Amino acid sequence: MRRAKPLSTDFYDRPTLDVTADLIGKVLVHHTRSGVAAGMIVEVEAYIGEDDPACHAAPGRTRRNEPLYGPPGVAYVYLNYGMHYLVNAVTEAKDAPAAVLIRALAPLDGISLMLKRRLRQGSGAQGRVKGTPIDEAALCRGPGNLTKALGITLKENRLDLTSSRLWIEDRGLEPGRLSWGARIGITRGADRPWRCWSKGHASVSGRRA
């Protein structure tokens, strides 16, 4: 397992769409008692400001979305529809609410651990039945699946991505050609082309072409 230093706060303290593009090819790592699990980021989505109807900051500052208003480089983890935990990297300056949702990873480290965690879950994406085989490329395909595979829950909310057990690092991996398109899985603000992914990668959760 190759290790690198976590990305610095300066990486996140930039315009969100710049961070969005630069996150493709970086590696999300989570260190737990069970072991280390990591994957290369291949799909992300940007959510920017109170004028973005799909951003959690749209209603203004609340107890739930407080991390979005905090310093850049912090993890914002929330429970989506009472079912799946989703993990975001907070971007831009303090009090400028924005973040990048991590949508999919290509598994790198701790693949057997990821598999165990996924198989312990109930029915998942595409109606997968508990206990059935999971293709390696699908282990972290989708924002809810990747948090299950990496063991990310609300306990990781507000962690500093530059100095905690959850971090993002640069291993010098080549992500391939990037594609941009509309965000998916939302009903508001779906017209904004703020989803970015590694074109044609098997682990991407949405449209890959």
Side-chain angles (χ1 to χ4, degrees):
M1 176 179 64
R2 181 179 175 185
R3 294 291 296 274
K5 291 183 179 180
L7 299 174
S8 69
T9 302
D10 289 342
F11 176 89
Y12 303 98
D13 190 10
R14 299 182 293 146
T16 301
L17 293 181
D18 291 345
V19 178
T20 299
D22 290 344
L23 277 172
I24 303 297
K26 302 302 188 290
V27 179
L28 178 65
V29 187
H30 191 205
H31 188 285
T32 67
R33 295 182 190 177
S34 301
V36 176
M40 183 180 76
I41 299 171
V42 296
E43 182 186 7
V44 294
E45 284 178 341
Y47 292 86
I48 310 171
E50 294 179 352
D51 61 348
D52 176 0
C55 181
H56 283 187
R61 193 187 300 249
T62 66
R63 182 177 180 181
R64 183 197 191 198
N65 69 25
E66 183 65 29
L68 289 175
Y69 292 83
V74 169
Y76 174 43
V77 183
Y78 61 88
L79 185 62
N80 193 44
Y81 297 117
M83 297 174 59
H84 307 293
Y85 298 108
L86 305 189
V87 60
N88 303 255
V90 175
T91 57
E92 305 198 17
K94 187 176 181 181
D95 296 321
V100 179
L101 169 68
I102 312 300
R103 284 199 57 90
L105 308 174
L108 294 173
D109 307 324
I111 292 175
S112 60
L113 176 59
M114 293 185 196
L115 184 60
K116 289 178 182 177
R117 286 170 172 159
R118 286 291 313 280
L119 290 177
R120 284 200 298 264
Q121 305 298 324
S123 297
Q126 291 84 46
R128 186 188 67 81
V129 178
K130 181 178 179 180
T132 57
I134 304 174
D135 182 75
E136 185 174 307
L139 277 176
C140 301
R141 182 189 294 150
N145 287 333
L146 77 86
T147 55
K148 291 174 186 175
L150 268 65
I152 297 172
T153 69
L154 290 179
K155 293 179 180 179
E156 282 64 57
N157 188 34
R158 299 175 181 261
L159 286 184
D160 188 337
L161 292 171
T162 71
S163 61
S164 70
R165 64 180 179 273
L166 179 68
W167 70 90
I168 299 175
E169 63 186 31
D170 185 356
R171 299 188 186 180
L173 302 177
E174 175 53 55
R177 183 179 174 185
L178 302 187
S179 291
W180 290 83
R183 297 176 295 188
I184 57 180
I186 56 176
T187 57
R188 296 173 294 175
D191 58 322
R192 305 190 185 195
W194 292 351
R195 173 174 165 253
C196 183
W197 66 95
S198 176
K199 185 175 181 179
H201 200 287
S203 292
V204 171
S205 66
R207 183 174 177 271
R208 303 173 199 171

